[in-house]
């Protein structure tokens, strides 16, 4: 067996068997498969697809190309994954809430991609927080605290790390088969018993239409189940930011306001509770998703989730008093400007991707690999679709490193938000459940 015959098999629509998938994934990890061969394989998959069996085979082979974690814990091992959006900080709420309800959550997360924010970038806005830990330390943290949100170590799904970089430069990022294998190989290498997926749809998501989001959700759920992990996906709205903030430290502030009960964004709360409820039901910690949702709400309202989050932050190098002193512990941008509405009316539409790009250009994301992020910049107090506004009222607050950056963001915000006379239909928050 060699790379050429495997690529030819996919090219000629003969599929990808388990043995071939294992050989190719191991070759990606070891370097035996060249960049040219990896690119040819990715293009063949994009053009011809793998089918469900081939998708499962590739996912399992990429998972097994490195270390697969094993656990001996008192509770079920559960995780959540989002396909990416703007102001989507649910992971920071769900992980401690699930842990407070008896689940064990080794949440291996990623950094921002394109216009979407990354969980690790948000956490690194907290001074001292370490995202890079050994597998042994991850085991200890989850056993002691119940959750740990960290990055993937080099020995977790190394085949995916290699293929991911190849996809980015060969125009094959859009392949649902490769997206599925990439997401699930890393998640399943964490040794999960249950996984809840948040598949975003809308202007701020990678999947812009509901049929695209449904196709990805179906692929993820069927492949995860085929690989032995019980999984459900919720398709949730990303036609506007989920939270009222977009930007690393600003989203952490909103998370802390939610955990401590200072202020609650209803959309952020509702998606968090729905995802958490499904996860508890999948893990056998609740009889139904509705009962699980009640448990998540209690964990958030009682402060138990906040206490768990504080312990996690301290254990990973952050301030020991973060929950009590988070406004003082997070960086603040030196320039703050409000974008005000030029007329009366209603917020009729928000281009989520345009707002995400505004945050990136402020310095809150990466224009190229290796860029340094400014954790303090971004947008806050973003008005939601459907809200009435009066002329001169602030629609968005811009946090910038300098006045020129703030003015540039002002132009992007103006283009992203449309005000109309008529009140729009109420947005749908959760479109569909698949699983």
């Amino acid at each position: 067996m060699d790379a050429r015959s495997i690529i030819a098999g996919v090219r000629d629509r003969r599929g990808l068997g388990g043995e071939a998938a294992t050989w190719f994934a191991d070759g990606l990890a070891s370097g035996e498969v060249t960049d040219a061969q990896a690119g040819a394989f990715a293009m063949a998959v994009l053009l011809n697809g793998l089918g469900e069996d081939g998708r499962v085979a590739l996912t399992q082979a990429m998972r097994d190309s490195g270390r697969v974690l094993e656990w001996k814990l008192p509770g079920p091992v559960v995780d959540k994954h989002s396909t990416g959006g703007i102001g989507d900080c649910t992971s920071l709420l769900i992980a401690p809430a699930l842990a407070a309800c008896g689940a064990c959550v080794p949440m291996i997360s990623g950094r921002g991609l394109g216009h979407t924010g990354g969980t690790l970038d948000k956490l690194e806005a907290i001074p001292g927080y370490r995202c890079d830990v050994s597998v042994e330390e991850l085991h200890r943290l989850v056993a002691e605290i119940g959750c740990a949100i960290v990055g993937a170590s080099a020995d977790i799904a190394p085949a995916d790390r290699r293929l991911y970089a190849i996809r980015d430069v060969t125009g094959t990022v859009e392949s649902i088969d490769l997206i599925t294998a990439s997401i699930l190989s890393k998640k399943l290498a964490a040794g999960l018993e249950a996984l809840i997926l948040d598949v975003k749809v809308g202007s701020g998501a990678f999947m812009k239409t509901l049929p695209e989001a449904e196709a990805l959700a179906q692929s993820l759920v069927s492949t995860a189940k085929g690989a032995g992990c019980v999984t459900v996906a919720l398709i949730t709205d990303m036609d506007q930011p989920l939270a009222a903030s977009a930007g690393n430290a600003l989203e952490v502030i909103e998370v802390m306001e939610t955990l401590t009960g200072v202020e609650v964004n209803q959309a952020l709360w509702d998606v968090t509770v729905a995802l958490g409820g499904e996860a508890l039901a999948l893990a056998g910690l609740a009889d139904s998703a509705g009962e699980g949702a009640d448990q998540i709400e209690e964990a958030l309202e009682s402060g138990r989730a906040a206490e768990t989050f504080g312990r996690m932050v301290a254990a990973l190098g952050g301030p020991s008093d973060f929950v009590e002193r988070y406004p003082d512990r997070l960086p603040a941008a030196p320039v703050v400007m409000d974008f005000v509405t030029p007329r009366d009316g209603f917020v009729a539409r928000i281009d989520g991707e345009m707002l995400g790009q505004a945050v990136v250009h402020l310095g809150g994301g990466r224009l190229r690999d290796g860029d340094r992020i400014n954790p303090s910049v971004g947008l806050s107090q973003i008005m939601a679709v459907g809200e009435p506004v009066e002329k001169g009222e602030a629609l968005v607050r811009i946090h910038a490193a300098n006045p020129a950056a703030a003015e540039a963001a002002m132009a992007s915000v103006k283009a992203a938000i449309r005000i109309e006379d008529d009140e729009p239909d109420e947005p749908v928050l959760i479109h569909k459940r698949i699983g």
Side-chain angles (χ1 to χ4, degrees):
M1 184 170 294
D2 58 25
R4 182 181 297 179
S5 64
I6 293 170
I7 294 165
V10 178
R11 180 198 65 196
D12 298 338
R13 300 180 186 272
R14 297 196 301 270
L16 182 72
E19 185 179 351
T22 298
W23 190 97
F24 203 84
D26 289 346
L28 284 167
S30 69
E32 184 172 353
V33 171
T34 67
D35 285 355
Q37 290 168 332
F41 174 81
M43 186 60 71
V45 173
L46 173 71
L47 295 176
N48 296 327
L50 291 175
E52 186 169 330
D53 290 344
R55 233 179 7 248
V56 171
L58 181 62
T59 299
Q60 291 178 314
M62 288 170 57
R63 175 198 66 191
D64 296 341
S65 67
R67 187 168 180 178
V68 179
L69 305 188
E70 297 180 356
W71 302 92
K72 293 181 179 178
L73 296 167
V77 180
V78 187
D79 199 1
K80 167 259 179 189
H81 177 79
S82 168
T83 57
I86 314 301
D88 177 14
C89 43
T90 55
S91 290
L92 276 62
L93 295 167
I94 288 173
L98 287 173
C101 294
C104 300
V105 190
M107 187 173 281
I108 296 177
S109 297
R111 302 191 181 279
L113 181 64
H115 65 277
T116 67
T119 297
L120 299 185
D121 297 325
K122 294 166 192 176
L123 286 168
E124 286 182 343
I126 301 172
Y129 193 99
R130 295 180 297 112
C131 293
D132 297 325
V133 303
S134 67
V135 169
E136 290 70 28
E137 186 173 5
L138 177 60
H139 273 83
R140 179 180 61 79
L141 290 167
V142 175
E144 292 177 359
I145 299 167
C147 67
I149 309 177
V150 298
S153 61
D155 56 356
I156 295 291
D160 174 65
R161 186 175 294 104
R162 178 94 186 287
L163 189 57
Y164 189 95
I166 295 292
R167 288 166 55 212
D168 194 38
V169 297
T170 56
T172 56
V173 169
E174 295 82 1
S175 165
I176 284 183
D177 290 326
L178 297 179
I179 292 170
T180 298
S182 178
I183 290 171
L184 293 179
S185 62
K186 294 190 292 286
K187 285 295 179 183
L188 300 184
L192 304 181
E193 297 171 53
L195 174 64
I196 179 67
L197 297 162
D198 183 5
V199 177
K200 300 294 187 185
V201 62
S203 66
F206 290 112
M207 299 300 173
K208 306 296 185 187
T209 69
L210 190 55
E212 290 176 322
E214 287 180 355
L216 178 58
Q218 292 281 7
S219 174
L220 287 164
V221 169
S222 65
T223 303
K225 288 181 176 179
C229 181
V230 292
T231 304
V232 162
L234 298 183
I235 299 177
T236 67
D237 182 65
M238 192 41 68
D239 259 335
Q240 61 178 323
L242 179 59
S245 303
N248 297 303
L250 296 169
E251 290 183 52
V252 174
I253 288 172
E254 189 155 353
V255 165
M256 297 313 301
E257 288 175 343
T258 302
L259 286 172
T260 57
V262 172
E263 187 172 350
V264 172
N265 176 306
Q266 197 61 49
L268 177 62
W269 179 276
D270 288 348
V271 171
T272 298
V273 167
L275 291 167
E278 292 281 359
L280 290 179
L282 285 174
L285 294 171
D287 291 335
S288 66
E291 181 184 303
D294 291 341
Q295 291 184 40
I296 295 292
E297 286 201 316
E298 191 281 330
L300 292 169
E301 291 170 346
S302 67
R304 291 190 299 120
E307 189 270 337
T308 300
F309 188 85
R311 290 175 60 211
M312 180 187 74
V313 167
L316 283 162
S320 59
D321 60 353
F322 186 71
V323 172
E324 297 77 22
R325 300 289 301 277
Y326 65 88
D328 304 328
R329 299 292 183 252
L330 290 164
V335 177
V336 179
M337 297 174 59
D338 286 341
F339 172 75
V340 300
T341 178
R343 51 169 290 193
D344 295 346
F346 294 89
V347 178
R349 183 179 182 277
I350 296 177
D351 187 317
E353 182 170 355
M354 196 172 290
L355 286 189
Q357 290 291 356
V359 174
V360 171
H361 284 272
L362 281 166
R366 297 172 184 84
L367 290 168
R368 58 191 64 82
D369 193 34
D371 279 356
R372 189 179 183 87
I373 281 183
N374 182 339
S376 69
V377 301
L379 311 173
S380 68
Q381 299 179 31
I382 304 168
M383 281 204 170
V385 170
E387 290 194 63
V389 294
E390 297 180 358
K391 183 178 179 179
E393 186 176 4
L395 283 175
V396 178
R397 178 159 289 173
I398 297 166
H399 303 250
N402 55 65
E407 291 292 346
M410 195 83 72
S412 296
V413 170
K414 181 179 180 181
I417 300 178
R418 191 169 73 220
I419 306 297
E420 294 183 354
D421 292 332
D422 298 328
E423 184 175 3
D425 294 336
E426 185 174 347
V428 176
L429 191 60
I430 298 175
H431 293 271
K432 206 162 191 177
R433 178 188 185 275
I434 293 177

